[in-house]
């Protein structure tokens, strides 16, 4: 088959136009085109009112070889890549010890799934609850101000990505097309097939719930054992080799291969690893606030008169500003037509995140507006590899205090924040965060360098996206879990630098950021585990 790229058509093009463009590109007759399928569809919205769709298509013709030779100098025409997934190993008949996967976020799910599909019957552990029970606990914080530290937005089946926009795109290098395997498994589990070809696919929270359950059933049918409410409190290490894990219940599970896919908020696990001497280091992350605007304002600013077109859906944005103080401020985890959610996992702290359903039809758009920070910024809060956690805890506790001490979040109107005056009442934009938002002054909610940077960035963003710094837009604090504050370093074999048999993986270990990249890393690590077991058997 042939792959054709950069086929550009008007947003409102007629259905036959794509086939006609393919015929024109290749210079062939209609009867010579056997099949034509869309591999990817994106859009270019840089010219408002003249938005263009951009297609990548895979075609089969009666003259594939001849056309490849003829267009060998045209970078827009080439062979269709082979994106089929191939397993690297199969489990031996006699498996001495089953591998253990800790965590059922996207990384842990795909590590467990791939190991199960290769016949290794993994034991998969999660400190939280199954996804529907976890959803009840999560709503307990949102509706009743009751936090369950073991079952919340961060912990439980599906991981933090369950309560998000469900974005399924990434900028990682993926030469083996593992991302295609991730998307394919999601479609098998109930995701819409459009995620295979739209440029910025997303699923939304409610669909993710049923998909995660389907993936669990698939793994169990393949011999995997999945245990919830099974927090790992210790890892047994002998002479630099993992020999098993100890659960909070006191139960010991022997294992020579342990995948650590705990997510970016498993602070007690990071502390345990540090005590055990596993090598980890502080890494950069970002802190800031959530911002909310009317989704209609973002649609109009991005799409102009074509706002509301069904192919475009609710508009998103991606903004960055380099500040005079040397900091960079950028938008992160933008959720069109979504809500700001309470994402705390420790008592007495407030954390925000963003979430959307598949429809993206809520009244507000939201995104994190965050400032990049580095380990040099952590020195005031502690030393060593866990200092970033101390910084997070400090400002999450401050947000809890500013919000009134009941899991409400502190907030401020954007206009008042820029003018450095407290906010007293909401205006045209109503905040979506529950349990609620307490208006005041966010000037003390983050370090001074972060406040100064965000104050400078908001008017600059308004010049990029008209209306962004509108008076009535809402800032809600604080956003501190943009990525893991630590990296658990590993070698080319995906094992910890100083602990054989321990496979740090996914976002918590510092090797992914988002659902798709975490799933891809889970596949990569599962393959490394499989090859290690087969090589040792």
């Amino acid at each position: 088959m042939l792959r054709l790229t950069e086929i550009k058509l008007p947003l409102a093009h007629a259905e036959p136009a794509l086939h006609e463009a393919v015929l024109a590109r290749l210079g062939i007759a209609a009867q010579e085109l056997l099949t034509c399928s869309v591999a990817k569809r994106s859009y270019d919205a840089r010219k408002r009112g003249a938005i263009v769709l951009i297609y990548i298509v895979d075609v089969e013709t009666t003259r594939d070889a001849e056309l490849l030779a003829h267009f060998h100098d045209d970078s827009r025409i080439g062979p269709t890549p082979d994106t089929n997934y191939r397993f690297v190993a199969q489990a031996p008949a006699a498996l001495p010890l089953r591998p253990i996967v800790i965590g059922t976020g996207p990384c842990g799910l795909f590590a467990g799934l791939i190991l199960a599909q290769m016949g290794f019957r993994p034991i998969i552990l999660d400190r939280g609850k199954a996804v529907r029970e976890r959803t009840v606990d999560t709503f307990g914080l949102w509706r009743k101000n009751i936090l369950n530290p073991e079952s919340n937005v961060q912990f439980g089946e599906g991981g933090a990505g369950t309560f998000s926009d469900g974005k399924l795109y990434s900028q990682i290098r993926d030469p083996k097309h593992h991302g295609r395997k991730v998307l394919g498994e999601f479609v098998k589990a109930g995701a819409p097939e459009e995620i295979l070809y739209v440029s910025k696919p997303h699923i939304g929270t409610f669909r993710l719930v049923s998909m995660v359950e389907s993936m669990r059933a698939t793994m169990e049918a393949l011999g995997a054992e999945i245990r919830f409410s099974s927090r790992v409190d210790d890892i047994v290490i002998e002479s630099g080799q993992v020999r098993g894990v100890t659960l909070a219940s006191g139960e010991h599970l022997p294992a020579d291969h342990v995948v650590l896919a705990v997510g970016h908020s498993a602070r007690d696990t990071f502390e345990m690893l540090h005590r055990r001497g596993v090598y980890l280091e502080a890494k950069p992350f970002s802190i800031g606030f959530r911002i909310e605007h009317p989704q209609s304002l973002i649609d109009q600013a991005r799409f102009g008169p074509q706002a509301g077109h069904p192919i475009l859906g609710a508009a998103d944005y991606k903004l960055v500003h380099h500040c005079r103080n040397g900091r960079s401020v950028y938008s992160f985890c933008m959720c069109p037509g979504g809500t700001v959610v309470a994402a705390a996992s420790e008592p007495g702290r407030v954390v925000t995140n963003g979430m959307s359903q598949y429809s993206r039809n809520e009244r507000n758009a939201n995104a994190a507006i965050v400032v990049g920070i580095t380990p040099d910024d952590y020195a005031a809060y502690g030393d060593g590899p866990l200092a970033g956690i101390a910084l997070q805890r400090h400002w999450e506790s401050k947000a809890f205090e500013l919000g009134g001490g009941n899991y409400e979040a502190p907030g401020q109107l954007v206009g008042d924040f820029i003018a450095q005056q407290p906010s007293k009442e909401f205006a045209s934009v109503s905040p979506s965060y529950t349990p609620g938002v307490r208006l005041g002054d966010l000037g003390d909610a983050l370090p001074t360098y972060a406040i100064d940077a965000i104050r400078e960035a908001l008017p600059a963003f308004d010049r990029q996206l008209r209306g962004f710094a509108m008076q009535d837009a809402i800032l809600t604090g604080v956003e501190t879990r943009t990525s893991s504050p630590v990296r658990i370093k590993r070698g080319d074999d995906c094992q910890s630098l100083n602990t054989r048999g321990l496979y740090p993986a996914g976002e918590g270990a510092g090797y992914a950021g988002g659902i798709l990249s975490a799933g891809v890393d889970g596949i990569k690590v599962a393959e490394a585990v499989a090859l290690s077991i087969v090589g040792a058997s």
Side-chain angles (χ1 to χ4, degrees):
M1 297 184 71
L2 308 180
R3 172 158 287 187
L4 281 61
T5 65
E6 296 183 47
I7 296 178
K8 299 181 180 181
L9 295 171
L11 176 61
H13 72 78
E15 188 173 341
L18 183 58
H19 276 222
E20 292 167 0
V22 168
L23 297 176
R25 172 76 63 84
L26 295 175
I28 62 175
Q31 61 269 25
E32 294 177 293
L33 181 62
L34 302 178
T35 64
C36 178
S37 60
V38 176
K40 184 177 180 181
R41 186 190 70 207
S42 57
Y43 60 79
D44 182 348
R46 287 175 294 180
K47 294 183 179 179
R48 294 195 321 152
I51 296 172
V52 173
L53 296 179
I54 305 172
Y55 289 93
I56 298 175
V57 297
D58 292 326
V59 303
E60 183 180 4
T61 76
T62 58
R63 301 161 47 198
D64 282 2
E66 176 189 341
L67 291 168
L68 275 176
H70 179 73
F71 290 106
H72 69 278
D73 288 332
D74 190 336
S75 62
R76 303 171 302 164
I77 301 172
T80 297
D82 181 0
T83 60
N84 292 316
Y85 182 75
R86 294 172 177 83
F87 297 106
V88 299
Q90 283 296 316
L95 190 62
L97 287 173
R98 299 164 72 180
I100 289 175
V101 177
I102 306 174
T104 60
C107 181
L109 282 175
F110 275 93
L113 177 65
I114 296 300
L115 287 168
Q117 289 175 337
M118 290 190 286
F120 288 94
R121 300 184 301 112
I123 299 172
I124 304 168
L125 308 170
D126 198 291
R127 67 192 297 164
K129 298 180 182 180
V131 66
R132 291 196 186 272
E133 297 173 68
R134 174 195 179 198
T135 300
V136 172
D137 292 332
T138 300
F139 274 78
L141 174 60
W142 296 351
R143 295 175 177 175
K144 300 178 182 178
N145 305 63
I146 300 172
L147 172 68
N148 183 334
E150 298 296 330
S151 181
N152 46 62
V153 165
Q154 308 296 347
F155 299 140
E157 187 179 23
T162 302
F163 299 97
S164 70
D165 185 53
K167 296 179 183 67
L168 297 176
Y169 49 92
S170 174
Q171 295 179 327
I172 60 169
R173 288 186 65 254
D174 186 20
K176 296 183 179 180
H177 305 287
H178 287 348
R180 188 72 177 183
K181 171 68 169 173
V182 172
L183 296 178
E185 292 294 343
F186 279 153
V187 170
K188 290 179 186 177
E193 288 199 16
E194 70 178 31
I195 70 171
L196 296 173
Y197 65 85
V198 296
S199 63
K200 294 182 178 181
H202 77 285
I203 300 175
T205 290
F206 288 162
R207 289 200 178 201
L208 276 166
V209 168
S210 60
M211 288 164 51
V212 166
E213 290 180 319
S214 176
M215 292 180 69
R216 184 210 314 164
T218 297
M219 288 187 282
E220 289 175 332
L222 292 169
E225 178 184 344
I226 302 176
R227 299 192 193 183
F228 298 108
S229 300
S230 298
R231 190 181 71 234
V232 173
D233 276 0
D234 203 2
I235 293 181
V236 179
I237 303 170
E238 297 177 1
S239 301
Q241 168 67 50
V242 164
R243 294 301 182 193
V245 302
T246 303
L247 305 184
S249 64
E251 181 181 2
H252 174 70
L253 298 176
D256 291 334
H257 298 81
V258 174
V259 177
L260 191 70
V262 295
H264 59 40
S265 293
R267 294 165 171 171
D268 50 359
T269 302
F270 300 148
E271 291 165 349
M272 176 270 291
L273 294 169
H274 187 47
R275 290 195 303 270
R276 285 281 170 246
V278 174
Y279 183 81
L280 45 81
E281 61 188 23
K283 63 173 276 295
F285 62 102
S286 300
I287 56 175
F289 304 124
R290 277 274 150 184
I291 191 167
E292 290 187 87
H293 301 88
Q295 181 62 51
S296 58
L297 180 144
I298 303 301
D299 291 344
Q300 189 63 36
R302 286 292 322 281
F303 299 148
Q306 291 171 300
H309 192 284
I311 286 181
L312 299 176
D316 63 1
Y317 56 78
K318 187 175 183 180
L319 303 169
V320 64
H321 175 70
H322 302 291
C323 301
R324 290 187 297 270
N325 67 2
R327 303 283 173 171
S328 291
V329 181
Y330 62 98
S331 60
F332 172 80
C333 187
M334 194 272 159
C335 297
T339 55
V340 179
V341 298
S345 57
E346 294 180 329
R349 297 189 169 97
V350 163
V351 182
T352 62
N353 197 10
M355 184 183 87
S356 296
Q357 300 301 342
Y358 176 71
S359 60
R360 289 177 163 174
N361 62 359
E362 298 294 333
R363 66 184 182 277
N364 288 353
N366 78 77
I369 301 298
V370 294
V371 182
I373 59 175
T374 72
D376 289 342
D377 297 310
Y378 313 160
Y381 306 88
D383 54 16
L386 305 181
I389 295 174
L391 181 150
Q392 288 176 322
R393 283 173 165 161
H394 174 88
W395 294 107
E396 291 167 12
S397 297
K398 182 67 172 180
F400 184 78
E401 174 190 330
L402 292 171
N406 61 353
Y407 296 104
E408 291 186 2
Q412 190 172 9
L413 304 192
V414 164
D416 292 340
F417 176 78
I418 294 172
Q420 301 185 45
Q421 60 188 27
S423 294
K424 298 181 180 180
E425 60 182 5
F426 300 110
S428 63
V429 182
S430 298
S432 59
Y433 175 97
T434 56
V437 173
R438 187 176 199 180
L439 285 177
D441 186 352
L442 290 176
D444 294 327
L446 289 174
T448 301
Y449 59 77
I451 295 295
D452 291 345
I454 295 172
R455 278 204 177 110
E456 178 184 327
L458 290 172
F461 290 159
D462 193 83
R463 292 189 289 272
Q464 299 177 49
L465 199 65
R466 184 176 299 175
F468 197 86
M470 66 179 288
Q471 165 69 31
D472 297 353
I474 302 289
L475 291 170
T476 305
V478 290
E479 185 96 2
T480 52
R481 311 284 182 92
T482 52
S483 68
S484 180
V486 303
R487 178 174 288 109
I488 308 170
K489 293 201 74 173
R490 68 191 189 196
D492 292 339
D493 58 1
C494 292
Q495 297 184 61
S496 161
L497 291 184
N498 67 345
T499 309
R500 295 185 306 277
L502 183 65
Y503 294 79
E507 193 158 347
Y511 290 97
I515 294 172
L516 184 64
S517 64
V520 167
D521 200 57
I523 294 173
K524 179 179 179 179
V525 169
E527 292 178 343
V529 169
L531 291 172
S532 176
I533 293 174
V534 170
S537 62

